[in-house]
Amino acid sequence: GLSENTIEQALAAKSIIRTWLFRGTLHFVAAADIHWLLDLVSAKIIRSSYTRNKQLELDEALFKKCNGLLIRSFKTKATLTREEVASKLAGAGINTAAPRLYHLLHRAALEKIICIGPKQGKQFTYMLVNHCVPPGKPLKKEEALYQLALRYFKSHGPATLQDFLWWSGLTITDAKTALEFAKSTLLHVKDGADIFWFTPNHEPKKPAAPKMHLLAGYDEYVLGYKDRSLFMPPAQSKEVMTNNGIFNPTIVYDGQVIGTWKRLINKHKTVEIKTNMFKVLTTGEQKKLIRAMKRYETYLDKTVVLKEE
C-alpha cells in the first residue's frame, strides 16, 4: 500500500537508513537498528577485506586518516555527493582512483562514520551516521545475536540455519549461537535432513488463491535464502542470478519464480515492462500479471505498459 515517494520521504526523514551491512552489501535498515547491527557484523566483513585492501595499498593508517577527514568534511555541510567526498579526500593527498574510493567509503560506513544520504538529483549523497542516529546504549553481543535470529526467522521463516548463516554473514559459531538463543521463541518442522524454523502464528500455509507478484531484483523472497530450490528451479537460476552477483527482478506466481522482468522509464514518464517468462501463461495468469502491474503502477504513480519481447 506504499508508494515510491513514501520510501523516499522515510529516507529523507532518516527513519530508514541505507548503508553497507550484511555480507558487506547495501541494505535499507531501520535507523534505530543501525548501530547494534553494525557492531555485530562489521568486524568479520572488515577482516574479509584484508587481502583486497592490501592489493589496493589501503592500510589501517590510511583508513584512520580518511575517517577523520570525512568527519571534518561534514562540519559545514550535512550531505556530500560522491564527487565532493572524492575532492575532499584528494585535496588531502589521498588517492581516490577507482576502486580505491569505493573501499574507503565502504570501510567508513562499516565503522559507523558515514551512511548513504538522500538523492541530490540523480546522485546519491553521503552523511554522518551519528548526525542521523545518535548512538544509544549498545546491545550485548548475546542480545544482538538473539534479536537478529528472531527477526530473521520471523520475517523469513520457514528457514534453515544454513539460510540464516548465508543471509547474515555471521560466523558459523555465531549463527548457531544466535539460533540457540532464539529457539525458545521459535517453532520448527523437519523435512528430511533439513530443519525449518519460524515464529508462532507464522506457520507455513498455502494462500487461498494464487497471487502474482513483480518483485525487485534484490527482494528478500529470493535473496533471503541460501537454498532457493523450493521456489526457483535450478535450471532457471542463471536467468535470475548472474555470475557477478546481480539479482534480476522476478515474477512470482503461487510462490514460484516463473520469470524475470525489466523496466524502462521513457521520456513521457511512462514505464515499459518487458518480461522473460519461464512458462506460457494461461489467460487467467495473464490477467493476474496485469493486476500485478497495476499495483506497481500505483506504487510508482506512473503509467505502466507491458511490452512483449
Side-chain angles (χ1 to χ4, degrees):
L2 302 180
S3 68
E4 187 174 46
N5 188 52
T6 308
I7 306 303
E8 292 297 335
Q9 288 175 354
L11 288 166
K14 303 180 183 65
S15 60
I16 297 174
I17 303 296
R18 188 170 184 252
T19 194
W20 289 275
L21 196 59
F22 304 113
R23 308 175 307 280
T25 59
L26 284 171
H27 282 71
F28 291 113
V29 59
D33 296 325
I34 189 170
H35 285 281
W36 70 266
L37 283 174
L38 281 170
D39 287 341
L40 183 62
V41 305
S42 62
K44 180 174 180 286
I45 301 168
I46 290 172
R47 287 196 302 271
S48 68
S49 302
Y50 175 80
T51 300
R52 182 56 175 150
N53 289 336
K54 188 174 181 180
Q55 292 171 348
L56 295 172
E57 298 181 345
L58 301 172
D59 57 22
E60 293 304 309
L62 183 60
F63 285 127
K64 184 176 180 180
K65 177 181 178 181
C66 177
N67 290 345
L69 285 168
L70 285 171
I71 292 171
R72 293 193 293 275
S73 296
F74 287 96
K75 284 187 176 181
T76 58
K77 195 174 181 182
T79 61
L80 293 172
T81 66
R82 188 183 183 92
E83 289 73 18
E84 288 172 329
V85 169
S87 177
K88 296 278 187 183
L89 298 180
I94 296 176
N95 178 3
T96 59
R100 284 169 56 95
L101 178 61
Y102 170 84
H103 287 268
L104 290 169
L105 295 173
H106 186 258
R107 177 61 174 267
L110 290 173
E111 294 194 24
K112 299 193 295 185
I113 305 298
I114 62 170
C115 59
I116 295 179
K119 286 183 180 178
Q120 184 174 305
K122 293 186 177 181
Q123 296 186 77
F124 282 104
T125 63
Y126 299 90
M127 53 190 180
L128 292 179
V129 169
N130 286 347
H131 283 184
C132 305
V133 193
K137 183 179 178 180
L139 290 185
K140 292 182 178 179
K141 185 175 181 179
E142 293 80 4
E143 176 63 18
L145 288 171
Y146 165 74
Q147 285 293 336
L148 185 60
L150 182 62
R151 294 185 190 199
Y152 174 79
F153 289 106
K154 182 177 182 179
S155 59
H156 293 70
T160 66
L161 170 62
Q162 290 301 315
D163 291 327
F164 174 59
L165 173 65
W166 182 88
W167 175 87
S168 66
L170 294 173
T171 65
I172 182 63
T173 299
D174 281 348
K176 286 181 176 179
T177 300
L179 180 56
E180 284 297 323
F181 287 147
K183 275 183 179 179
S184 62
T185 58
L186 299 174
L187 301 177
H188 69 275
V189 293
K190 291 185 178 180
D191 181 22
D194 294 321
I195 302 176
F196 291 85
W197 299 90
F198 51 93
T199 50
N201 302 321
H202 288 83
E203 294 187 51
K205 58 183 179 180
K206 195 172 181 67
K211 292 185 178 181
M212 188 83 69
H213 300 279
L214 297 178
L215 299 185
Y218 293 88
D219 190 273
E220 286 291 320
Y221 188 72
V222 175
L223 190 70
Y225 307 90
K226 181 178 182 180
D227 180 5
R228 304 178 178 98
S229 60
L230 289 173
F231 56 83
M232 184 170 61
Q236 270 86 46
S237 63
K238 290 183 179 179
E239 298 278 354
V240 175
M241 301 170 291
T242 66
N243 291 331
N244 58 350
I246 301 298
F247 282 69
N248 291 317
T250 54
I251 301 170
V252 173
Y253 178 64
D254 197 19
Q256 300 295 305
V257 175
I258 62 168
T260 61
W261 64 284
K262 56 185 176 182
R263 72 176 191 177
L264 174 66
I265 301 177
N266 61 35
K267 295 179 181 179
H268 303 291
K269 294 188 177 181
T270 60
V271 179
E272 291 183 356
I273 288 183
K274 293 183 179 181
T275 62
N276 172 32
M277 306 304 302
F278 303 155
K279 57 170 279 187
V280 177
L281 299 185
T282 65
T283 301
E285 290 168 347
Q286 188 72 19
K287 289 180 179 178
K288 289 183 178 182
L289 175 60
I290 297 300
R291 286 200 287 271
M293 287 173 50
K294 290 297 181 183
R295 293 197 299 273
Y296 188 54
E297 187 174 72
T298 300
Y299 172 77
L300 290 178
D301 194 23
K302 291 180 172 68
T303 301
V304 174
V305 178
L306 177 62
K307 187 172 182 179
E308 301 292 342
E309 289 197 327

